[in-house]
Amino acid sequence: MTNSILSAIHWNVSPEIFSIGSFEVRYYTLCFLLAFVSSYFLMLRIFQRENKSQELLDQLSIYIFIGTLLGARLGHCLFYEFDYYKDHPLEMILPYTYVNGKFTLTGFHGLASHGGAIGILAGIFLFCRKTKTDFLWLTDRLVIVIPLAGAFVRIGNFFNSEIIGLPSDLPWAVVFERVDQIPRHPAQLYEALSYVLIFVLLWNIYHKKPVLKPGFIFGLFLILLFGARFVLEFVKENQEAFEDGMTYNMGQLLSLPFVAVGIYLLFRPAKKTA
């Protein structure tokens, strides 16, 4: 173990970039903003290519932003810490806790990517209903940029020394000194890299295969991204103690329905045109 620690990469970067009084800017926040900004400009290119207005994209961005934050937050509270939040429902949406007669600022500790995915889909559904936009047309294009956004978020997790991997003696194992002194898989970086590769693949398919049945890219995205998530969970520490007795952890179980929907979309027969 001593030799493994010495040969491992040691990571002890502060998650804070800088702070002024109680106000702080963190790498995770920066990565989260980069996720939205990069997604916006890539989607703008897609909208321009298909003669859609920037105003329509601006409306969509609001739905996606709200859906992502609400979905990710509620997903964490309901999927991972339901026993606590069922007795403290306001803390799901407010960054405060009420202890000993006082409100204490806690911030939001916990965002779940599966909840974020559900929130995004709900936001897209509401947007499509309001603007009369075809749901599958939009999802086929939006999911092209989502993996890149997910990669930025996982890099933010790396800066936070969270969502860490299992112990490892591989040459690229990382010791997250803010957690412990054990060399571990840099699972956040594995996930970020896989998402970048998925983005590159989908971007190229979209540009080189202009005629695809509706839902094809969406289905492929669901299979690849949540399939990768399922596999990579095998090298990650469980996020909550209740998962320790499970054959498959919560992240893996939540990934399966998304993969199933992806398989359906990919292999369903295309509708015949009149």
Side-chain angles (χ1 to χ4, degrees):
M1 177 61 73
T2 301
N3 290 334
S4 297
I5 293 174
L6 292 176
S7 62
I9 301 166
H10 287 251
W11 184 255
N12 192 26
V13 174
S14 171
E16 281 185 21
I17 302 175
F18 66 86
S19 62
I20 303 174
S22 60
F23 175 78
E24 62 181 30
V25 175
R26 301 171 70 90
Y27 286 103
Y28 183 84
T29 305
L30 178 61
C31 289
F32 208 86
L33 290 175
L34 286 172
F36 275 98
V37 171
S38 63
S39 298
Y40 178 87
F41 283 107
L42 288 170
M43 280 301 295
L44 181 59
R45 289 183 60 181
I46 292 173
F47 268 48
Q48 291 172 339
R49 185 173 189 257
E50 305 211 18
N51 298 315
K52 299 293 183 180
S53 70
Q54 186 172 351
E55 289 74 18
L56 189 67
L57 177 60
D58 290 341
Q59 292 180 50
L60 173 63
S61 299
I62 295 171
Y63 281 82
I64 296 299
F65 186 80
I66 295 174
T68 301
L69 291 181
L70 284 179
R73 178 59 182 163
L74 293 177
H76 174 81
C77 297
L78 297 176
F79 299 148
Y80 291 97
E81 293 192 66
F82 180 72
D83 285 345
Y84 175 82
Y85 285 104
K86 67 182 175 61
D87 297 321
H88 306 82
L90 286 179
E91 291 183 32
M92 293 185 187
I93 57 175
L94 297 176
Y96 295 92
T97 185
Y98 189 71
V99 179
N100 297 326
K102 293 182 180 181
F103 284 101
T104 303
L105 179 65
T106 59
F108 291 121
H109 297 288
L111 298 173
S113 57
H114 291 89
I118 295 170
I120 289 172
L121 290 173
I124 294 171
F125 173 78
L126 294 174
F127 170 82
C128 289
R129 189 172 68 172
K130 180 179 179 181
T131 61
K132 310 301 181 185
T133 303
D134 182 80
F135 180 83
L136 287 180
W137 178 90
L138 182 56
T139 51
D140 273 337
R141 285 144 184 84
L142 183 62
V143 298
I144 296 170
V145 305
I146 285 177
L148 185 61
F152 278 117
V153 173
R154 283 295 177 251
I155 292 171
N157 295 139
F158 184 77
F159 276 102
N160 274 355
S161 296
E162 60 189 2
I163 312 183
I164 57 176
L166 293 171
S168 170
D169 59 1
L170 291 169
W172 55 82
V174 175
V175 174
F176 295 96
E177 295 185 0
R178 292 176 177 270
V179 178
D180 54 31
Q181 293 297 315
I182 301 174
R184 297 177 177 277
H185 287 283
Q188 315 95 323
L189 300 185
Y190 295 168
E191 208 165 337
L193 178 59
S194 67
Y195 292 170
V196 169
L197 295 175
I198 293 169
F199 161 72
V200 171
L201 176 63
L202 297 181
W203 183 264
N204 278 281
I205 289 175
Y206 169 71
H207 282 85
K208 294 180 180 179
K209 302 286 186 181
V211 182
L212 292 167
K213 68 179 180 181
F216 181 90
I217 295 179
F218 182 29
L220 184 60
F221 158 84
L222 291 174
I223 295 170
L224 292 176
L225 189 134
F226 289 100
R229 175 68 187 270
F230 184 92
V231 171
L232 289 173
E233 287 295 321
F234 285 114
V235 298
K236 292 163 65 175
E237 290 281 6
N238 291 327
Q239 294 189 50
E240 299 295 335
F242 74 85
E243 297 175 286
D244 292 341
M246 300 166 62
T247 303
Y248 300 106
N249 65 25
M250 183 61 73
Q252 290 174 309
L253 295 178
L254 292 173
S255 294
L256 292 177
F258 289 98
V259 173
V261 172
I263 293 172
Y264 166 75
L265 290 171
L266 205 63
F267 294 104
R268 68 176 184 143
K271 290 185 179 178
K272 295 181 179 179
T273 56

